Amino acid sequence: MHSPELLKGTLQTILLKVLKDHGRMYGYEITQRVKELSESQLLLTEGALYPALHKLEAEGILKTETVMIGKRVRKYYSLTSTGRSLAKDRVEELVDFIKTMSNVLQVKLA
Amino acid sequence: MHSPELLKGTLQTILLKVLKDHGRMYGYEITQRVKELSESQLLLTEGALYPALHKLEAEGILKTETVMIGKRVRKYYSLTSTGRSLAKDRVEELVDFIKTMSNVLQVKLA
DNA sequence: GTCTAATACCTAAATCTCTTAGGCAATAAG
DNA sequence: CTTATTGCCTAAGAGATTTAGGTATTAGAC
């Protein structure tokens, strides 16, 4: 597992990216998908995830639908059109940042 | 310029890396070197830099020598042996994190 | 000569994100 | 029937960084 320090500032971009690719997801599903993509290296904590989702919703970047599964509530998040545009920008920005970091660390990434 | 959000958590590793490669550097020199390596994409702020250097010194990871240049003080930082070991670990960790992020973002880095 | 930009160090309050540590409840598996 | 997993959530505290100062020397432009 990575020291969570490094994760700071990247959570929002990760959320936008997986929602961009999957269309509609609920919180728990996102944690599982990120775990899968990262080969268990990135484990999103709920204390970070839900506030981040709520913030993005409040900003009009995400929209939600609530669905009942049996007696259980499931809340789906998806990108608004604003969100789709932002997702693209944020991912580009993070990719760019990663490249810059690689230069600073003077490492080649296969 | 990158949104400084992304920089969070990486500053310490950057400092250890440049000091590892240059042996002995002073604060201002570090900011210039990082600016150069990042092609002006990463501009370290002094309000982040100096507290970080002082913390690393307090922890025995860095040691200092103060030199007078004319009437001006210049404070050189270099890695202790503990610091050299830590530098290696931290750089590996960050490289690994970058690779994980690339997987999550599903991008290939040339 | 004087004014500005660059060099060079520093601190402190406020901000922002995330961790930690809870709470609540339904369902599956043993 | 008891535990692990699914599934939502909040709030206090920690920690890193930004913002916004402060001080002073030196080099260069006009």
Side-chain angles (χ1 to χ4, degrees), chain B residues 11 15 18-19 24-35 43-46 48-54 62 64-65 73-78:
Chain B
L11 175 59
L15 297 181
V18 297
L19 284 168
R24 198 179 81 148
M25 298 181 88
Y26 55 98
Y28 186 77
E29 190 183 9
I30 293 174
T31 65
Q32 299 308 302
R33 179 60 182 151
V34 170
K35 183 179 176 185
L43 306 175
L44 302 188
T45 59
E46 301 190 333
L49 175 67
Y50 289 110
L53 288 172
H54 299 162
L62 300 181
T64 60
E65 316 163 56
V73 173
R74 187 179 283 176
K75 199 164 160 191
Y76 281 98
Y77 290 87
S78 54

Side-chain angles (χ1 to χ4, degrees), chain B residues 64-96:
Chain B
T64 60
E65 316 163 56
T66 299
V67 177
M68 292 304 293
I69 305 289
K71 288 180 181 170
R72 218 173 189 159
V73 173
R74 187 179 283 176
K75 199 164 160 191
Y76 281 98
Y77 290 87
S78 54
L79 294 170
T80 61
S81 54
T82 309
R84 267 186 295 278
S85 164
L86 185 67
K88 190 169 170 293
D89 293 345
R90 280 278 203 279
V91 171
E92 275 172 28
E93 182 187 41
L94 185 49
V95 169
D96 215 58

